[in-house]
Amino acid sequence: MLTVAAVAAATTAMAACTPTRESPSSSSAPSTAAADGKADFVFRNGPIYTVAGPDPWAKALAVTGTTITHVGDEAGAMALVGDKTRVVDLNGRLLMPGFVEAHIHPFMGAFLTSGLDLQLPTGADALAAIAKYAADNPVGPVRGFGWRVDMFGPEGPNRADLDRILPDRPAFFFAIDGHSLWVNSKALQIAGVDRNTPDPIPGFSYFVRDTKGDPTGYVLEVVAELQVVNAVEPISPETMAKLLASWTPKAAQAGITSVFDAGVPPIGEDQAAILELYVDAEKRGELPFRVVASYAVKGPPVDDTVAKMTEVRNRVNTELVQATVVKIVGDGTQGGYTAWLLEPYADKPDTTGGSPFTEEQWHRMIRDVDAAGFDLHVHACGEHTARVALDAIDEAIAANPPRERRHAIAHLVYVDDSDNPRFGKLGVIAQFSANWLSADPDTVTNMGARYGSPRKDLLYRPQDVLKSGGRISLGTDWPAAGYFSTYKPLDSIQIGVTRQLIGQPDAPVLEPADQRLSVVEAVHANTLGAAYQIRLDDKVGSLETGKLADLIVLDKNILDGDPHDIHQAAVTMTMMNGQIRHEV
């Protein structure tokens, strides 16, 4: 259990590593209350955790228009109370910054989770659920999300099992990591995939085949997945807009006030067309969080990366929505043997996985993107991918003019000991999905089999990055996961702190146990640390005078209690840009 003094000391130390920020100016007209110099909101009578600033704890806070105008003593806040000020009695509840999700896929999540949930114990359970769902929904394609690799043997799922249930309707089901797909024969037929169809990226994104060369119905990695999905059920802007609208209230309920969109399902090749749906929601006043989005590069060619990123940035650039980051899908996942390792897989020693890019393409792409002034965000499940990305960033820093860089490498299932200190040395953010960091069956069984000893006991090591002077950020990667898919930062924070599955206080702890984060470190990584990654730390991520009013109220103080109870905290209010987006 953390004492207030311990929290204050730890937070002060972390704040010392944070660059000095200038106070942002409000871009919105002042409210009626602000016109007379008074606040719109005053919060009092509860712990206020600022994350950074002169003091991590405050007694009261005031909001005027879109901006925090007082953080400190209660008398100073109450002096700003006018006839139209709403004084919020926290009554002991915790006020803290809104969560900043450093890696999430809102459109992909809304799309995938709108079908059948296959987060079930066995393959037989999945087939039974599919049969029932198809009977209850007799029209159109059947789709779902959430099956895990441990449901099937090493060859993966097979279309024959689906064909027995669905001989005449197309069906496709994404794995919980989002990097593989299970489809039936009808879906393959509609997509025109047969024994003569070339693999999009041979050896990386491909159609698994039987001894005769016919596709088995197991599809690996995004390019091949989209080849099937876009043929069976094309993703339209109208559909995605409706699905996004169904999820945004849930995001507000979870306390999310900013996101990094780490990749969208493209409409054809036009990723900006999806991102513009955020702008449409903003114009309607229906966007409850600010967005920094990415242009995703999933495979060659790479020569046009900067030009395409520039086009997307120019099309998507508003107060709440910006596209400024190049996302490189550098490898796949360990589950499908497509993560790029330094040494062979323990249970498949003839392969180390792979990447869609050659090392020459890696270096050229990162050098060009860095020279153009864009930030990079690299998907790197395998340690070889992390090393190549670090090498290329190191080379780009040497080749290009000095500037403030905010490059990030995400997932980092396993990183070689020699590479962990390089994050701090190169100023690269280590981006973790803390909800992956538990001793769950997928990590213990499947990851353990893939890596073998000693690597299997050295997975997910955020403390090694922090102790060497590096920065970390947290994001759920929703809907993708290894075992537990969630978009709720409180879930992710708890697992990052305990390295245990939620709901089982005596559950096994993922080794190395000394890689557990403190609550202070996890909260920082999901607020100011994530804001730093996406260049919003001058505006949000902490409660400081002059920053934008992105804040949440929790019904319990997660910094002073049993870490196993963090996920039980309820978000009773979410404010973004000075506007209440959720309240109970």
Side-chain angles (χ1 to χ4, degrees):
M1 182 178 294
L2 291 171
T3 64
V4 170
V7 170
T11 306
T12 300
M14 296 184 77
C17 298
T18 304
T20 303
R21 294 175 296 274
E22 296 180 0
S23 298
S25 59
S26 170
S27 61
S28 299
S31 67
T32 304
D36 59 3
K38 300 299 183 180
D40 293 298
F41 296 89
V42 165
F43 297 86
R44 56 171 295 278
N45 193 30
I48 298 174
Y49 185 55
T50 67
V51 172
D55 190 335
W57 294 99
K59 297 292 186 182
L61 179 145
V63 173
T64 306
T66 63
T67 308
I68 298 171
T69 48
H70 175 85
V71 181
D73 65 309
E74 185 169 319
M78 295 305 290
L80 298 174
V81 173
D83 293 341
K84 297 182 179 179
T85 303
R86 177 180 171 185
V87 179
V88 179
D89 184 352
L90 293 171
N91 194 26
R93 296 174 296 169
L94 174 70
L95 180 69
M96 62 174 284
F99 293 121
V100 182
E101 274 293 282
H103 187 116
I104 193 170
H105 303 271
F107 286 109
M108 191 77 77
F111 175 68
L112 295 185
T113 60
S114 63
L116 173 62
D117 186 350
L118 290 178
Q119 296 180 72
L120 300 168
T122 68
D125 294 325
L127 288 167
I130 291 168
K132 183 179 185 304
Y133 184 86
D136 294 341
N137 299 270
V139 179
V142 182
R143 59 180 168 85
F145 163 80
W147 60 268
R148 297 185 294 269
V149 294
D150 61 355
M151 290 179 173
F152 308 99
E155 300 305 317
N158 196 287
R159 61 189 167 95
D161 294 325
L162 293 177
D163 290 348
R164 284 191 286 271
I165 301 170
L166 295 163
D168 301 316
R169 294 171 63 190
F172 60 89
F173 304 97
F174 283 89
I176 195 170
D177 63 11
H179 284 257
S180 54
L181 192 69
W182 178 21
V183 304
N184 68 351
S185 296
K186 187 66 174 179
L188 291 171
Q189 177 188 345
I190 292 172
V193 175
D194 57 27
R195 67 173 59 184
N196 299 312
T197 304
D199 292 326
I201 306 177
F204 179 74
S205 185
Y206 59 96
F207 306 102
V208 176
R209 302 170 193 272
D210 61 22
T211 55
K212 297 178 181 179
D214 292 318
T216 65
Y218 185 24
V219 184
L220 287 167
E221 294 305 326
V222 174
V223 180
E225 289 175 313
L226 289 176
Q227 186 170 328
V228 177
V229 174
N230 285 339
V232 173
E233 190 176 21
I235 303 170
S236 71
E238 293 76 19
T239 298
M240 294 310 303
K242 292 177 182 177
L243 291 172
L244 178 68
S246 72
W247 181 73
T248 50
K250 298 177 184 178
Q253 291 167 15
I256 298 170
T257 55
S258 295
V259 304
F260 170 62
D261 188 318
V264 300
I267 302 172
E269 294 298 318
D270 191 355
Q271 297 181 39
I274 287 282
L275 296 175
E276 286 172 334
L277 297 176
Y278 283 129
V279 177
D280 294 341
E282 177 186 2
K283 290 176 180 177
R284 296 192 303 268
E286 297 174 359
L287 189 64
F289 47 75
R290 59 192 81 248
V291 181
V292 173
S294 59
Y295 166 74
V297 186
K298 304 178 180 71
V302 301
D303 294 342
D304 58 353
T305 299
V306 170
K308 288 187 173 180
M309 178 72 249
T310 301
E311 178 190 358
V312 173
R313 179 197 62 190
N314 292 343
R315 286 173 59 182
V316 183
N317 185 15
T318 68
E319 179 188 358
L320 295 183
V321 188
Q322 299 176 8
T324 57
V325 179
V326 172
K327 161 80 177 290
I328 299 175
V329 183
D331 66 356
T333 63
Q334 284 81 356
Y337 300 97
T338 51
W340 195 16
L341 312 189
L342 289 170
E343 301 294 335
Y345 284 87
D347 59 346
K348 198 173 183 180
D350 61 339
T351 184
T352 57
S355 169
F357 309 105
T358 66
E359 291 205 29
E360 192 276 332
Q361 288 171 331
W362 270 101
H363 283 263
R364 187 190 335 156
M365 179 166 43
I366 287 179
R367 185 172 59 249
D368 291 349
V369 169
D370 181 80
F374 293 113
D375 290 329
L376 288 153
H377 192 97
V378 180
H379 166 109
C381 280
E383 65 275 12
H384 198 156
T385 312
R387 176 171 292 180
V388 169
L390 288 166
D391 288 347
I393 290 170
D394 194 359
E395 180 194 83
I397 292 172
N400 295 329
R403 70 180 182 89
E404 185 189 20
R405 294 171 167 89
R406 305 277 179 102
H407 301 321
I409 303 177
H411 307 319
L412 305 171
V413 177
Y414 171 73
V415 175
D416 188 77
D417 288 344
S418 64
D419 288 322
N420 274 315
R422 300 178 69 194
F423 286 89
K425 178 183 177 182
L426 297 175
V428 175
I429 299 103
Q431 200 288 307
F432 290 92
S433 299
N435 45 299
W436 297 11
L437 277 56
S438 66
D440 56 69
D442 178 73
T443 303
V444 172
T445 303
N446 298 319
M447 289 292 183
R450 300 296 187 270
Y451 272 116
S453 296
R455 294 178 296 181
K456 70 182 181 65
D457 295 319
L458 296 170
L459 306 181
Y460 303 116
R461 293 184 285 170
Q463 285 293 356
D464 284 1
V465 175
L466 289 174
K467 289 173 182 175
S468 65
R471 296 176 182 268
I472 68 170
S473 66
L474 294 185
T476 60
D477 198 20
W478 183 74
Y483 186 80
F484 176 52
S485 177
T486 182
Y487 58 81
K488 298 178 181 179
L490 287 168
D491 291 344
S492 181
I493 286 170
Q494 176 172 320
I495 295 175
V497 170
T498 65
R499 291 175 77 90
Q500 297 169 287
L501 274 175
I502 284 175
Q504 303 176 39
D506 58 349
V509 175
L510 182 66
E511 296 293 340
D514 63 2
Q515 296 298 312
R516 285 179 290 201
L517 298 169
S518 70
V519 180
V520 166
E521 289 167 336
V523 167
H524 184 280
N526 227 146
T527 54
L528 193 56
Y532 175 86
Q533 174 194 307
I534 56 176
R535 296 185 183 271
L536 293 181
D537 56 311
D538 62 334
K539 298 177 176 65
V540 302
S542 60
L543 303 181
E544 300 178 70
T545 301
K547 281 196 164 185
L548 295 173
D550 286 16
L551 49 86
I552 59 174
V553 178
L554 301 180
D555 67 350
K556 62 178 64 179
N557 186 350
I558 62 173
L559 292 120
D560 191 16
D562 186 341
H564 295 97
D565 296 335
I566 290 174
H567 76 287
Q568 297 176 353
V571 179
T572 62
M573 179 188 288
T574 300
M575 175 180 286
M576 191 276 294
N577 248 9
Q579 298 180 34
I580 295 175
R581 296 294 185 162
H582 162 71
E583 186 172 19
V584 292

